């Protein structure tokens, strides 16, 4: 969108015609209200941007089929100019005509026509002249129809308006142009593009540069030319109107945050008028709902008055924002909200809950401006986008930011256009069934236009991924991307195509049972790792993840949460690796922990059939904590996405995920985790970790280490304890530095309790921190961890490959003989 400059925000309202309440569509469902139909079709107008067209900004749906439209607006128009009666030079008239034709030509290129071209719809700014697509109803239809029988329409119309002499005094080429424009039959009438080539505009056209649409964010070209930078970066004036340099949609978004209320403004000006409900009752109502004697409320009639929205409240709110904030420097990688380069208020705001930050006008202004500049420098500022996204993502630029986090680049529109989305395919039937059930509480996605876009994006994905199939749930995955990129199907498709292989690799195979089962088994191990008490209870009552978690992971929670919660959840998910969803799942269970522990199987089934309210911000916070406690290799899956190259074609390094790189992306070594068969994986309650993970957690540096320098928790205690369950003789022949020995054969009593000794007492003192079980027999290690989980020990895992994996490292310690 273009900067606000000297424009205003305008609003007008109208009603859509109401539908009968007792009529259903061919599918048996109630008909979509006309207001929702209009809302869906309106969105394409928001994407039309040209210097000669007033920008449509937003449309809101109110009660009783009321719609409110927000547009770019100017107080002065051609109608006011004509009423002034001042003489206007032919050159000025040609300039206005040329600019009007430019706007009409651009609309024609996008398969649109202006059906209400009139002086009051041509608005003037300080420099140029623009068009508004308003509605006007002519009262002279009969006169217009009779023009079809007239040879010289220009003369007839001039006589009708009493300006024949003025018309005849115009230059001949101007008269010829007017006659062309007034050609009665549309098929014979020149198009705006043809009129612009008329010789009458030879001098005028030289004053204008051809309009070039700005490059998209996901092309290979650098968009430095689109950055607006003041001439003197070192000088910022206090009274300068820097807000006017921001785009119209940004200003409107901030206006809403600053307390702007469209219906309130329209009510104050008398444009919205309401009656007491009792005054609108009918005199007589039949059994089928038909009513009589109801006088039509004149407030429902069309009023095309455009109200100028006051920006004084927003400007007053931002009066203390320094000019430098509108042009942040991007040289360093330091976050702009750190204390060293931002004011105290902004730093304090960053610590507030996310829902409060998203409503803070000043905070959102800083974040929007920063992200706007970073995105314009994408992919060269990719790493800094990742860093800033860790703090939060402004809702206004969420769609583009997600695309950057997913690494979308190249000519995505050409790729999307090349896909056949029209030829019928076997999946069409299932897609048609699923779409009307997918997030239909949302007005945009429930509109016919939303359904059409859903269908096209889903078909494009199915057609372009021949090795995969459509599974129910794919529509839910598509919903967040389509909502955020409603006017850019290509970007919605590109984001979805990048998201699925990262988080749901091979989930949409025709036979995906082995992938799903491995995923659910790892999730079950994660529950035992982080919450053994809950894991024990769920296993005892037989409430396994297969009964509730498949819709969670197959749709990445979009099937169970509304969109506004998904946005906050995915803001963090996209910064994590493919194992982060496990932590989200555990965090959800822990919010329901008390109810689950007190319920039996049937009650748990009922609980998950209608999932209770989940605090998403708490879920995200706890997911991050769970992830930080989870060793990278604990969530290893052999069916995860294969490793990808470290850098892209532009030479820009691919940023690792916020919380950690995928374990699968790490170089494969002799110390890496080995793949095991699914049935063997299912027999193990606790996860395995790799030898390299253990070395990393212990920070072992070499065979001379006499004491294990394990990483510390915040309390200063070691984060990890290694328990060697081999016999004492084997332990003395070589063991990991700092480990303790609890022989498997004598560790537990007959009732399953730990037999008390110095080593088991130390183990108990480490309860709550990571405990790695090391042995030389896999079955013994698995049984030992299962016993500990039964006793309520969290964060218990098995060293993959046992002690044999550590022998080649030279890190095993042999005690010195006693003298």
């Amino acid at each position: 969108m273009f900067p606000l400059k000297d424009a205003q925000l305008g609003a007008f309202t109208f009603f859509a015609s109401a539908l009968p309440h007792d009529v259903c569509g061919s599918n048996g469902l109630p008909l979509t209200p006309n207001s929702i139909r209009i809302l869906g079709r309106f969105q394409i107008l928001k994407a039309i941007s040209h210097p000669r067209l007033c920008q449509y900004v937003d449309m809101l749906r109110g009660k009783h089929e009321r719609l409110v439209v927000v547009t770019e607006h100017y107080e002065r128009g051609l109608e006011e100019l004509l009423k002034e009666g001042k003489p206007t030079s032919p050159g000025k008239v040609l300039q206005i005509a040329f600019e009007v034709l430019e706007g009409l030509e651009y609309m024609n290129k996008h398969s649109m026509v202006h059906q209400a071209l009139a002086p009051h719809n041509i608005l003037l700014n300080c420099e140029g002249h623009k068009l508004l697509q308003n509605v006007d109803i002519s009262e002279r239809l009969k006169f217009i129809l009779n023009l079809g029988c007239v040879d010289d329409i220009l003369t007839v119309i001039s006589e009708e308006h009493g300006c024949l002499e003025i018309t005849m005094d115009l230059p001949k080429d101007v008269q010829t142009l007017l006659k062309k424009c007034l050609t009665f039959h549309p098929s014979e009438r020149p198009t705006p593009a043809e009129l612009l080539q008329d010789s009458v505009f030879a001098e005028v056209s030289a004053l204008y540069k051809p309009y070039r649409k700005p490059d998209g964010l996901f092309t290979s070209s650098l968009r430095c030319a689109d950055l607006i930078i003041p001439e003197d970066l070192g000088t910022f004036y206090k009274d300068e109107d820097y807000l006017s340099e921001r785009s119209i949609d940004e200003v409107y978004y901030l206006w809403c945050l600053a307390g702007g209320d469209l219906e309130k403004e329209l009510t104050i000006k008398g444009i919205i008028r309401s009656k007491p409900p009792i005054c609108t009752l009918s005199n007589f109502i039949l059994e089928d709902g038909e009513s009589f004697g109801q006088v039509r409320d004149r407030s429902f009639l069309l009023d095309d008055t455009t109200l100028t929205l006051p920006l004084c409240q927003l400007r007053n709110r931002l009066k203390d924002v320094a000019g430098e904030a509108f042009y942040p420097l991007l040289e360093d990688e330091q976050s702009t909200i750190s204390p060293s380069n931002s004011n105290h208020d902004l730093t304090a705001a960053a610590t507030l809950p996310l829902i409060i930050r998203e409503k803070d006008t000043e905070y959102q202004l800083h974040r929007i401006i920063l992200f706007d500049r970073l995105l314009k420098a994408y992919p060269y500022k990719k790493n800094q986008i990742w860093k800033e996204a860790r703090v939060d993502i402004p809702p206004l630029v969420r769609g583009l930011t997600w695309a950057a986090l997913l690494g979308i680049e190249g000519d995505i529109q050409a790729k999307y256009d090349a896909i056949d989305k029209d030829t019928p395919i076997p999946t069409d039937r299932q897609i048609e069934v699923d779409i009307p059930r997918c997030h239909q509480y949302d007005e945009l996605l429930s509109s016919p236009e939303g359904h059409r876009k859903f269908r096209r994006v889903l078909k494009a994905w199915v057609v372009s991924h021949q090795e995969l199939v459509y599974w129910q749930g794919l529509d839910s995955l598509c919903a967040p991307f389509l909502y955020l990129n409603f006017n850019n199907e290509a970007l919605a498709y590109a984001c979805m195509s990048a998201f699925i292989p990262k988080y749901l690799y091979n989930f949409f195979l025709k036979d995906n049972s082995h992938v799903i089962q491995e995923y659910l088994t790892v999730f079950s191990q994660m529950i035992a790792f982080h919450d053994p008490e809950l894991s024990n209870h769920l296993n005892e009552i037989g409430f396994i993840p297969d009964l509730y978690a498949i819709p969670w992971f197959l749709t990445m929670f979009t099937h169970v949460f509304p969109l506004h919660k998904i946005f906050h959840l995915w803001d963090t998910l996209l910064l994590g690796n493919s194992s982060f969803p496990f932590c989200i799942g555990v965090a959800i269970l822990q919010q329901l922990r008390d109810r689950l522990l007190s319920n039996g199987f049937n009650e748990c089934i009922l609980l998950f059939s209608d999932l209770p309210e989940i605090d998403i911000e708490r879920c995200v916070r706890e997911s991050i904590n769970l992830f930080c406690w989870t060793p990278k290799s604990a969530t290893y899956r052999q069916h995860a996405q294969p490793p990808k190259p470290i850098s892209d074609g532009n030479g820009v390094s691919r940023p690792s995920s916020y919380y950690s790189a995928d374990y699968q992306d790490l170089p494969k070594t002799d110390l890496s985790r080995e793949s095991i068969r699914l049935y063997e994986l299912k027999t193990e309650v606790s996860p395995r970790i790799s030898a390299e993970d253990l070395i990393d957690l212990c920070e072992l540096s070499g065979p001379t280490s006499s004491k294990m320098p394990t990483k510390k928790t915040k309390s200063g205690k070691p984060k990890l304890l290694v328990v060697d369950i081999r016999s004492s003789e084997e332990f003395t022949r070589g063991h990991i530095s700092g480990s303790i020995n609890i022989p498997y054969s004598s560790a537990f009593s007959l009732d399953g309790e730990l037999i008390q000794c110095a080593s088991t007492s130390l183990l108990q003192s480490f309860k709550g921190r990571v405990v790695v079980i090391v042995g030389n027999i896999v079955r013994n290690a698995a049984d030992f961890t299962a016993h500990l989980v039964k006793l309520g020990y969290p964060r218990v895992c098995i060293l993959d490959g046992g002690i044999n994996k550590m022998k080649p490292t030279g890190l095993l310690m042999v005690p010195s003989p006693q003298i």
Side-chain angles (χ1 to χ4, degrees):
M1 287 190 178
F2 295 100
L4 183 67
K5 296 293 185 181
D6 61 328
Q8 301 287 331
L9 289 174
F12 64 90
T13 183
F14 64 94
F15 286 93
S17 59
L19 295 172
H21 295 289
D22 58 343
V23 178
C24 294
S26 58
N27 57 1
L29 299 175
L31 294 174
T32 304
N34 283 327
S35 57
I36 290 182
R37 289 177 177 272
I38 295 171
L39 183 67
R41 295 188 65 187
F42 168 82
Q43 302 306 311
I44 190 62
L45 297 179
K46 292 168 61 176
I48 302 299
S49 185
H50 189 275
R52 307 295 171 237
L53 296 174
C54 280
Q55 181 73 51
Y56 278 102
V57 182
D58 197 15
M59 175 181 276
L60 299 181
R61 181 170 175 258
K63 297 179 180 178
H64 311 301
E65 296 292 90
R66 178 184 291 279
L67 292 163
V68 182
V69 180
V70 182
T71 72
E72 176 186 0
H73 183 62
Y74 298 89
E75 295 285 356
R76 190 164 177 261
L78 183 59
E79 188 173 47
E80 287 74 21
L81 181 66
L82 294 175
K83 287 179 180 178
E84 292 175 0
K86 297 179 181 179
T88 306
S89 66
K92 181 65 175 178
V93 173
L94 286 177
Q95 282 188 16
I96 295 176
F98 186 83
E99 292 171 353
V100 168
L101 288 172
E102 278 191 320
L104 294 175
E105 179 198 22
Y106 191 79
M107 292 176 62
N108 290 170
K109 284 182 177 178
H110 290 80
S111 304
M112 297 180 184
V113 293
H114 198 302
Q115 295 183 324
L117 193 58
H120 73 276
N121 285 335
I122 300 176
L123 305 183
L124 311 178
N125 65 2
C126 295
E127 300 173 355
H129 317 278
K130 301 187 177 183
L131 298 178
L132 273 174
Q133 290 140 312
N134 285 349
V135 179
D136 189 18
I137 302 174
S138 174
E139 297 178 355
R140 312 193 67 186
L141 181 61
K142 183 178 179 180
F143 174 76
I144 293 174
L145 291 176
N146 289 333
L147 292 176
C149 305
V150 176
D151 293 330
D152 191 351
I153 296 178
L154 177 61
T155 301
V156 173
I157 292 179
S158 299
E159 289 176 344
E160 177 72 16
H161 290 81
C163 60
L164 181 59
E165 291 184 5
I166 298 175
T167 303
M168 293 299 103
D169 289 339
L170 292 173
K172 292 298 182 182
D173 55 354
V174 175
Q175 292 184 35
T176 303
L177 176 68
L178 290 176
K179 289 179 180 180
K180 289 180 180 179
C181 294
L182 293 172
T183 303
F184 186 79
H185 292 286
S187 59
E188 300 173 2
R189 190 182 309 142
T191 65
E194 292 170 342
L195 290 173
L196 284 171
Q197 303 303 318
D198 195 285
S199 60
V200 72
F201 294 119
E203 294 183 8
V204 175
S205 60
L207 303 175
Y208 298 91
K209 293 182 179 179
Y211 173 65
R212 182 186 69 86
K213 189 176 180 180
D215 292 323
L217 288 181
F218 302 101
T219 60
S220 58
S221 59
L222 182 61
R223 291 160 297 280
C224 291
D226 298 328
L227 295 175
I228 302 173
I229 303 174
E231 294 181 2
D232 185 1
L233 278 175
T235 306
F236 292 96
Y237 301 99
K238 184 176 181 181
D239 297 330
E240 187 75 20
D241 186 11
Y242 295 109
L243 183 65
S244 65
E245 299 297 331
R246 303 310 304 168
S247 66
I248 296 170
D249 61 331
E250 287 181 21
V251 174
Y252 171 67
Y253 180 76
L254 295 170
W255 180 81
C256 293
L257 291 182
D261 188 323
L262 288 174
E263 291 200 1
K264 178 182 176 182
E265 296 295 338
L266 291 167
T267 302
I268 291 174
K269 295 297 182 180
I271 298 175
I272 291 182
R273 299 181 295 276
S274 60
K275 285 185 177 180
I278 195 171
C279 297
T280 63
L281 293 178
S282 305
N283 293 338
F284 185 65
I285 302 177
L286 296 180
E287 192 177 41
D288 61 0
E290 188 176 1
S291 60
F292 300 90
Q294 186 179 25
V295 179
R296 186 173 185 183
D297 191 344
R298 295 192 63 82
S299 65
F300 281 79
L301 300 178
L302 177 66
D303 183 352
D304 63 351
T305 303
T306 300
L307 169 70
T308 300
L309 300 177
L311 297 179
C312 53
Q313 186 173 348
L314 173 60
R315 295 186 188 279
N316 184 60
R317 185 71 181 266
L318 301 177
K319 67 180 185 300
D320 295 327
V321 176
E324 293 89 339
F326 290 85
Y327 304 97
L329 298 178
L330 304 180
E331 280 104 5
D332 57 22
E333 296 291 320
Q334 189 175 13
S335 174
T336 57
I337 65 161
S338 61
S340 61
N341 59 356
S342 67
N343 60 57
H344 175 74
D345 293 338
L346 190 61
T347 306
T351 63
L352 296 173
L354 180 60
I355 193 170
I356 296 178
R357 277 179 275 156
E358 290 189 346
K359 300 297 182 183
D360 188 307
T361 309
E362 294 91 337
Y363 182 81
Q364 285 300 308
L365 172 69
H366 284 85
R367 300 296 289 166
I368 289 170
I369 291 173
L370 174 63
F371 270 84
D372 177 60
R373 294 180 74 80
L374 288 174
L375 287 168
K376 283 189 170 82
Y378 177 84
Y380 304 95
K381 286 294 181 180
K382 183 186 295 185
N383 290 347
Q384 200 167 345
I385 293 173
W386 276 73
K387 189 170 184 178
E388 290 298 336
R390 301 177 193 177
V391 180
D392 55 45
I393 298 175
L396 186 65
V397 295
R398 178 173 276 128
L400 294 177
T401 305
W402 280 12
L405 296 178
L406 287 167
I408 306 301
E409 292 181 32
D411 193 349
I412 57 175
Q413 189 63 54
K415 294 177 182 177
Y416 184 71
D417 291 342
I419 301 172
D420 180 7
K421 299 174 282 291
D422 301 316
T423 302
I425 57 175
T427 313
D428 287 349
R429 172 72 175 169
Q430 189 61 53
I431 292 176
E432 292 292 339
V433 171
D434 289 345
I435 289 175
R437 302 181 297 186
C438 182
H439 293 283
Q440 294 301 285
Y441 55 85
D442 180 78
E443 295 172 344
L444 270 186
L445 298 184
S446 65
S447 68
E449 187 67 13
H451 286 194
R452 187 186 72 83
K453 290 177 178 291
F454 251 134
R455 193 179 305 112
R456 286 171 57 81
V457 174
L458 288 172
K459 284 194 67 171
W461 187 88
V462 172
V463 170
S464 60
H465 294 80
Q466 295 289 336
E467 73 282 5
L468 304 175
V469 297
Y470 179 90
W471 280 89
Q472 283 183 292
L474 193 64
D475 54 319
S476 297
L477 271 176
C478 176
F481 296 120
L482 180 58
Y483 180 90
L484 294 175
N485 304 285
F486 198 81
N487 287 324
N488 194 338
E489 292 178 27
L491 187 56
Y493 162 79
C495 289
M496 181 177 167
S497 298
F499 181 91
I500 289 176
K502 179 177 180 181
Y503 296 100
L504 295 166
Y505 185 73
N506 278 347
F507 266 58
F508 294 94
L509 289 172
K510 187 172 184 179
D511 180 10
N512 63 357
S513 58
H514 56 294
V515 180
I516 297 287
Q517 285 301 309
E518 182 191 39
Y519 202 95
L520 294 177
T521 303
V522 174
F523 177 56
S524 182
Q525 291 180 347
M526 284 296 99
I527 301 173
F529 183 81
H530 291 291
D531 197 334
E533 182 183 2
L534 180 60
S535 174
N536 292 334
H537 173 71
L538 295 179
N539 288 333
E540 286 171 6
I541 64 174
F543 192 65
I544 57 176
D546 305 55
L547 300 175
Y548 62 89
I550 292 178
W552 290 8
F553 299 123
L554 191 63
T555 67
M556 277 299 121
F557 309 97
T558 55
H559 185 70
V560 291
F561 291 137
L563 286 174
H564 70 276
K565 291 189 175 184
I566 288 298
F567 293 150
H568 288 170
L569 187 66
W570 279 20
D571 281 351
T572 303
L573 173 65
L574 290 172
L575 296 168
N577 62 30
S578 64
S579 63
F580 193 74
F582 293 127
C583 301
I584 296 175
V586 175
I588 293 173
L589 292 178
Q590 289 189 329
Q591 279 201 39
L592 305 173
R593 189 175 193 275
D594 293 340
R595 298 177 67 173
L596 289 171
L597 288 175
S598 61
N599 286 343
F601 178 83
N602 292 334
E603 293 82 1
C604 287
I605 289 289
L606 290 174
L607 181 68
F608 279 82
S609 64
D610 185 13
L611 196 67
E613 184 72 15
I614 298 294
D615 184 340
I616 284 294
E617 191 166 354
R618 175 186 164 193
C619 177
V620 169
R621 188 170 58 248
E622 292 177 352
S623 298
I624 296 172
N625 181 59
L626 292 169
F627 192 92
C628 293
W629 272 103
T630 306
K632 291 190 291 288
S633 56
T635 55
Y636 167 79
R637 292 179 295 116
Q638 62 175 324
H639 295 297
Q641 186 180 24
K644 293 182 291 186
I646 299 300
S647 63
D648 56 27
N650 295 319
V652 180
S653 61
R654 180 171 57 84
S656 61
S657 297
Y658 171 20
Y659 304 108
S660 166
D662 264 322
Y663 182 73
Q664 281 78 9
D665 284 348
L666 300 177
K668 190 79 171 177
T669 69
D670 292 337
L671 302 180
S672 301
R673 267 196 64 173
E674 301 291 341
S675 299
I676 60 174
R677 294 184 179 180
L678 180 60
Y679 76 86
E680 186 178 355
L681 183 68
K682 286 187 172 184
T683 63
E684 298 176 1
V685 175
S686 298
R688 298 186 181 194
I689 70 168
S690 65
E692 56 192 354
D693 237 358
L694 176 62
I695 294 171
D696 178 61
L697 290 169
C698 295
E699 293 183 344
L700 293 172
S701 57
T704 59
S705 301
S706 59
K707 187 176 181 181
M708 182 176 65
T710 59
K711 293 182 178 179
K712 306 287 184 178
T713 62
K714 290 183 179 180
S715 63
K717 296 180 179 179
K719 187 177 180 179
L720 173 141
L721 177 68
V722 179
V723 178
D724 194 321
I725 62 170
R726 296 175 298 155
S727 65
S728 55
E729 293 80 9
E730 292 174 305
F731 181 77
T732 56
R733 287 200 292 268
H735 57 267
I736 297 172
S737 174
S739 62
I740 63 172
N741 182 224
I742 304 178
Y744 170 74
S745 58
S746 58
F748 300 97
S749 62
L750 293 178
D751 57 1
E753 296 292 330
L754 276 171
I755 297 175
Q756 292 299 311
C757 65
S759 294
T760 55
S761 297
L762 182 59
L763 173 61
Q764 289 170 350
S765 70
F766 269 78
K767 193 173 185 178
R769 290 184 282 280
V770 177
V771 175
V772 183
I773 306 303
V774 178
N776 53 6
I777 301 175
V778 174
R779 186 68 264 157
N780 289 353
D783 289 344
F784 195 97
T785 57
H787 277 87
L788 291 182
V789 170
K790 275 288 184 184
L791 295 175
Y793 278 81
R795 299 174 181 141
V796 178
C797 51
I798 306 168
L799 176 62
D800 183 57
I803 197 68
N804 293 329
K805 271 284 178 114
M806 297 296 294
K807 288 179 179 178
T809 64
L811 298 176
L812 296 185
M813 175 183 176
V814 179
S816 302
Q818 297 292 329
I819 299 176

